[in-house]
Amino acid sequence: MALLYGLLWRLLLFLVHMNRAFVCWLRARTRCFKGRLWERALASLLLPVAFTEFPEEQNKMHRNSEAKALTADSPSERQALFLHDGKSLEKLPVHIGLLLVDEEPSYTDVANLVVWCMAMGISYVSVYDDNGLLQKNNSVLMHEITQLQRNLLGIEGSKVEFLRNRSEKHVVSCRPVVSVLSPEDGKQSIVQAAQHLCRSVENKERSPKDISVSMLDSLLREFKNIPDPDLVLKLGPVDSTLGFLPWHIRLTEFISLSTHRNVSYDDLLGALHRYGSCQQRLGK
């Protein structure tokens, strides 16, 4: 039975490709007709409905055409292609989180993802691992990012701002921003904010009636000073957020990849296309 299904699948794909080739041939034959309406009507009639049932095939074709950003000859061409890829998405996240939920982090692979995101125009990138290894070895990650920017984009010196934690930051440039997070920036930050409010009541700086969810929210944003993540890429086989910014991910879209090691640019683009096509109803 499995063999039969496999043969049927191959037959369907063959018919789809034949139909597409036929459409291209007809378009070439009808170029003499000036009417754009006729061309569009013909294409809409002959484009295979079955092809819309294979989104993975569509994404694969789309991504293969956009992976030129890594193979362009000059850094300026690569920068232009990265930006083009970002602008071609239906929507681009302002803040993306990279959540590592598997083995010890590979700093080179993490740096690849960070630089690709920034090169496409994403302003904020947060990197998180449950063991806090990235934050402890922040200088290693910074070095990998600056090296990749130099080799891939021809940028001398880092063009990002690294936020190590709430109270300390190493400013290299104003934007984009890379935040290296650990579990202390998750539940622990909520605990610290609550303690701060309790002390303010104890010192009679605030009344207990003044304490509200909105006040806690503003205090937590004061500590973080970055927008909520629009998208989080969960990189690894564990189905858990592992304490990643629990207060800030109420409206965040999560997309899973099997691992962060050897993740390709195509994998990242595919995830961003999935994010661009999702409908966020925001509780409606």
Side-chain angles (χ1 to χ4, degrees), residues 86-97:
K87 290 177 180 177
S88 69
L89 297 168
E90 291 185 35
K91 57 181 176 180
L92 187 69
V94 175
H95 181 184
I96 187 171

Side-chain angles (χ1 to χ4, degrees), residues 14-180:
F14 174 76
L15 291 174
V16 164
H17 290 305
M18 288 294 294
N19 202 355
R20 292 183 73 250
F22 180 58
V23 169
C24 293
W25 178 81
L26 276 180
R27 281 179 174 174
R29 297 290 294 175
T30 56
R31 285 187 187 276
C32 56
F33 293 95
K34 299 293 184 181
R36 297 287 295 173
L37 182 62
W38 162 251
E39 187 178 346
R40 289 177 183 176
L42 183 64
S44 63
L45 286 172
L46 294 174
L47 276 175
V49 177
F51 190 62
T52 62
E53 301 300 322
F54 307 126
E56 290 301 322
E57 290 294 320
Q58 282 183 310
N59 289 340
K60 183 178 177 182
M61 291 175 58
H62 200 59
R63 293 198 301 267
N64 285 343
S65 66
E66 291 181 330
K68 297 175 183 176
L70 294 179
T71 56
D73 294 330
S74 68
S76 58
E77 287 180 5
R78 286 193 286 268
Q79 289 185 46
L81 287 170
F82 276 121
L83 285 174
H84 175 267
D85 289 347
K87 290 177 180 177
S88 69
L89 297 168
E90 291 185 35
K91 57 181 176 180
L92 187 69
V94 175
H95 181 184
I96 187 171
L98 305 177
L99 170 59
L100 278 63
V101 294
D102 52 3
E103 65 275 7
E104 184 176 343
S106 164
Y107 294 93
T108 301
D109 291 314
V110 173
N112 280 335
L113 286 168
V114 169
V115 172
W116 294 339
C117 288
M118 294 187 303
M120 282 191 284
I122 297 175
S123 299
Y124 296 87
V125 182
S126 292
V127 186
Y128 176 93
D129 72 294
D130 186 40
N131 298 315
L133 294 174
L134 289 169
Q135 198 171 76
K136 291 174 186 174
N137 301 288
N138 192 48
S139 59
V140 179
L141 181 59
M142 288 170 59
H143 175 73
E144 289 287 342
I145 290 173
T146 46
Q147 287 290 106
L148 184 59
Q149 284 184 314
R150 181 181 299 113
N151 297 334
L152 183 65
L153 304 176
I155 297 175
E156 289 298 330
S158 181
K159 294 294 183 183
V160 299
E161 175 181 339
F162 291 92
L163 298 182
R164 295 177 185 170
N165 52 47
R166 292 180 297 278
S167 59
E168 178 190 1
K169 63 181 180 181
H170 173 64
V171 179
V172 185
S173 181
C174 57
R175 291 184 81 173
V177 174
V178 177
S179 303
V180 184

Side-chain angles (χ1 to χ4, degrees), residues 178-229:
V178 177
S179 303
V180 184
L181 306 174
S182 70
E184 292 182 0
D185 300 291
K187 294 180 181 178
Q188 187 62 32
S189 64
I190 300 176
V191 172
Q192 291 175 352
Q195 289 174 342
H196 177 81
L197 289 175
C198 291
R199 281 194 297 270
S200 66
V201 171
E202 185 180 3
N203 297 331
K204 301 190 183 302
E205 297 170 1
R206 288 189 177 95
S207 166
K209 295 180 180 179
D210 296 333
I211 298 178
S212 62
V213 173
S214 59
M215 181 179 290
L216 180 62
D217 182 70
S218 63
L219 192 59
L220 285 168
R221 296 183 190 287
E222 228 175 82
F223 287 160
K224 275 285 162 280
N225 199 27
I226 55 176
D228 292 348

Side-chain angles (χ1 to χ4, degrees), residues 228-244:
D228 292 348
D230 308 292
L231 169 66
V232 169
L233 294 183
K234 186 178 70 64
L235 303 162
V238 180
D239 291 327
S240 171
T241 62
L242 297 178
F244 176 85

